Amino acid sequence: MTSPFPQTFPRTRLRRLRTSPWIRSLTAETGLTPSDLIWSMVVHDGDEARIPVGSMPDLYRLNIEEAAKAARRARELSIPAIALFPHINPARKDATGSEALNPDGLIPTVIRAMKDAAPEVGIICDVALDPFTSHGHDGLIDEDGYVLNDETSKLLVKQAIVQAEAGADVVAPSDMMDGRIGAVRDALESAGHVNTMILSYAAKYASGFYGPYRDAIGSATALKGDKKTYQQNPANSDEALREVAMDIAEGADMVMVKPGLPYLDIVRRVSETFAVPTIVFQVSGEYAQIKAAGERGWIDGDKVMMETLLSFKRAGAAGIITYFAEDAAKALGA
Ligand code: PBG
């Protein structure tokens, strides 16, 4: 069999194309720009401007005013969108996560403040109950602690409508219930929000990499048990394609693979199989690893940050949700 890449040395010296920056840049197969980035941002409902998150160095929970300022910074840096995650005062949490449906709650208030400050920046909202429930699960639980699918779905629909009414451009269900994409789409259409997009956390794995996030939004201590009865088994790849196919059929405009780096094979399969924008989430534990090793001087943190972001593009991602968005956009010279 003849190889499609005949290599006869020295006629073929692959290193020729690596000799200087201009030729390396000319022959680059993929690239990263600020327009690939979605800024993952944690907001809180207290007065303090910025509260550090212990397990995520340089990440702060922002109050409403700071979040509005951050939206202006996103615009200056050409970051197209912000993904919002709330830290809710424990006093406002209950078993059904009712604060999620409050039209004057933290997230709707932040959306309005950001849209006043920088209307051109897209706002993506997480649809799930875990920041709001006293037990830390993404949905309603029965007496055995099992997360109820259809009952949860009804609440998620209401939560998504509250976000859309407040001005969210994209609602992003991250709860992994079955059938909720179709239910959310129907409700958005009936309420006249025909252009509100759905980004489905379609292939979301039951991962240890979410640890620091649960710390950031304050659900870590509350969570009893794990999320294995609704999030995907890390052993599975075909199942991710079934999840994505189902969510597209139900009306998802974009789909997500999460976490990022340990699941690049899934990003590749999903982006190749479906003609739909594939978003990847570089989650809190990935951020924490890079930051922690960087702080110790064990790796060059900035270099590794850019390398991981580029690798998502190489794997086929259309966009990347990341806590590094601001730093990366600055490094890209935006
Ligand atoms: C939950 C949700 C999680 C994240 C986003 N939405 C965590 C979980 O499923 O427990 C994780 C984000 C991160 O780790 O950065 N609805």
Side-chain angles (χ1 to χ4, degrees):
M1 205 184 95
T2 52
S3 157
F5 302 117
Q7 290 173 15
T8 51
F9 180 84
R11 282 169 202 78
T12 302
R13 285 182 190 265
L14 288 171
R15 290 182 54 196
R16 274 187 212 116
L17 296 174
R18 299 175 200 145
T19 48
S20 44
W22 72 266
I23 190 64
R24 288 197 293 272
S25 134
L26 186 72
T27 55
E29 296 174 37
T30 43
L32 180 73
T33 74
S35 68
D36 298 314
L37 305 171
I38 298 168
W39 185 347
S40 185
M41 194 180 290
V42 182
V43 293
H44 76 98
D45 51 8
D47 292 331
E48 220 172 315
R50 295 152 68 83
I51 303 174
V53 177
S55 51
M56 299 181 72
D58 300 329
L59 183 91
Y60 297 85
R61 294 179 197 138
L62 306 181
N63 74 0
I64 294 160
E65 226 168 74
E66 287 294 308
K69 282 189 209 157
R72 276 191 219 109
R73 239 165 27 249
R75 180 173 59 193
E76 280 158 27
L77 291 167
S78 305
I79 296 171
I82 292 172
L84 287 176
F85 301 94
H87 177 281
I88 300 294
N89 183 336
R92 277 193 272 277
K93 296 187 186 188
D94 60 26
T96 62
S98 56
E99 178 63 16
L101 310 184
N102 179 0
D104 297 314
L106 174 61
I107 288 292
T109 308
V110 170
I111 297 170
R112 287 190 285 263
M114 285 182 155
K115 283 294 175 190
D116 270 351
E120 305 85 350
V121 177
I123 306 286
I124 303 175
C125 287
D126 202 65
V127 181
L129 299 181
D130 57 315
F132 307 95
T133 53
S134 42
H135 46 72
H137 277 293
D138 291 25
L140 297 176
I141 53 174
D142 68 11
E143 48 293 350
D144 301 322
Y146 185 75
V147 175
L148 299 162
N149 194 87
D150 302 10
E151 293 79 351
T152 295
S153 188
K154 290 196 183 90
L155 290 181
L156 297 173
V157 165
K158 291 187 186 157
Q159 182 185 17
I161 295 293
V162 167
Q163 295 171 348
E165 306 263 295
D169 301 287
V170 181
V171 293
S174 69
D175 53 287
M176 290 298 281
M177 298 303 112
D178 288 322
R180 89 288 201 213
I181 298 299
V184 168
R185 186 71 266 162
D186 286 348
L188 287 171
E189 295 296 314
S190 316
H193 297 294
V194 297
N195 284 329
T196 304
M197 292 163 265
I198 300 179
L199 164 59
S200 169
Y201 283 68
K204 174 171 175 180
Y205 288 86
S207 171
F209 283 91
Y210 308 146
Y213 169 88
R214 292 176 190 164
D215 190 17
I217 67 153
S219 70
T221 43
L223 185 65
K224 288 173 194 68
D226 54 42
K227 300 192 177 182
K228 288 181 185 169
T229 68
Y230 45 110
Q231 299 178 348
Q232 265 191 245
N233 182 348
N236 296 353
S237 173
D238 287 345
E239 189 186 1
L241 300 190
R242 297 185 71 195
E243 282 283 359
V244 170
M246 190 162 152
D247 287 355
I248 294 171
E250 289 180 31
D253 301 284
M254 298 174 276
V255 296
M256 197 193 302
V257 174
K258 177 185 174 191
L261 219 53
Y263 298 90
L264 284 185
D265 57 323
I266 309 298
V267 175
R268 165 58 60 199
R269 279 191 87 186
V270 167
S271 64
E272 261 179 14
T273 308
F274 302 97
V276 60
T278 305
I279 307 297
V280 65
F281 198 146
Q282 182 178 48
V283 302
S284 57
E286 301 177 67
Y287 174 89
Q289 281 185 318
I290 294 171
K291 279 288 183 181
E295 278 185 348
R296 282 166 183 73
W298 293 347
I299 59 170
D300 178 335
D302 289 340
K303 204 168 164 187
V304 172
M305 162 182 83
M306 298 308 279
E307 186 178 334
T308 55
L309 294 170
L310 183 63
S311 74
F312 295 129
K313 289 297 303 294
R314 193 193 61 240
I320 306 153
I321 303 187
T322 174
Y323 299 93
F324 286 123
E326 189 180 11
D327 286 349
K330 281 182 190 156
L332 290 165

